[in-house]
Every structure is written in structure tokens, then in C-alpha cells.
Amino acid sequence: PWIQLAKSHGVEVRWLPTHQDLSRCALDTNRDAVAEVVDNRTRFVAMGAASNGVGTAHDITSLCHTARQLSDGKACTFVDAVHYAPHGHLDVQSISCDFLACSPYK
């Protein structure tokens, strides 16, 4: 749905980087890596807290913080926590995201 919405509004979609080392199979939260796709024109950053497919959890707190810094505070952050919620504690204030969604079926 993100891509369809972006196309209908003429918005550019960029993908958060993943680690080059495929054995880690997780989002790369290194500031330099994130800076390749998030800048002061970025207005929305969406991320998954975990991957159900490969079983990795992502450092969403770091990603939210870095996205806010790189966008000069202009980007809202959205965390999809549906795959993480049954496995760990979610402290939304600590994560410091703008939006967090989790389905009740988990």
C-alpha cells in the first residue's frame, strides 16, 4: 500500500538499507547507511520491528532517533511491531516513534 499511495501522490519511496553481511539479515542502523536514504526532505519513515520470515529483530529505537536527526526533525516514524510484540516488551516512549501498530491476533 505504501508504494501505491506514493505513486498516486508523486512521492519518492526509498528503502532502508540492510546489512551487507547476509548472515545478519537485518536493517542497517548505522548512521551513514541510513543517511543514504533519509535526508532533510524525508517526511515519513516506516520500519518493521522484526522479520517473521528470517527471525531477526531490528534496532528500531536507533532507527527512529537517526531518522529524526537526519530529517531535521521533519520525518514521522512508523513502526510495524506485529511480528515483534509476542516476543518482547514494547516501550513506545523509549522507542520514541510517532506511530506503532500491532495486530491483536498475535
Side-chain angles (χ1 to χ4, degrees):
W2 298 115
I3 295 172
Q4 293 171 339
L5 181 65
K7 283 182 182 178
S8 69
H9 288 81
V11 175
E12 178 184 5
V13 174
R14 302 176 195 165
W15 299 96
L16 288 169
T18 56
H19 285 284
Q20 295 300 315
D21 175 7
L22 295 179
S23 67
R24 295 177 73 182
C25 211
L27 294 173
D28 189 346
T29 59
N30 176 288
R31 182 181 173 84
D32 292 336
V34 177
E36 292 182 25
V37 295
V38 176
D39 58 30
N40 64 354
R41 297 181 326 136
T42 304
R43 297 296 180 262
F44 193 76
V45 178
M47 66 201 80
S51 168
N52 203 27
V54 294
T56 55
H58 308 293
D59 186 354
I60 54 176
T61 302
S62 176
L63 277 170
C64 289
H65 178 75
T66 302
R68 191 159 286 115
Q69 284 184 327
L70 293 171
S71 69
D72 296 331
K74 297 174 186 170
C76 288
T77 54
F78 175 90
V79 176
D80 178 347
V82 69
H83 298 302
Y84 181 81
H87 306 289
H89 177 73
L90 287 167
D91 182 345
V92 177
Q93 287 183 328
S94 176
I95 296 167
S96 191
C97 59
D98 295 296
F99 305 97
L100 185 138
C102 180
S103 171
Y105 75 90
K106 292 281 183 171

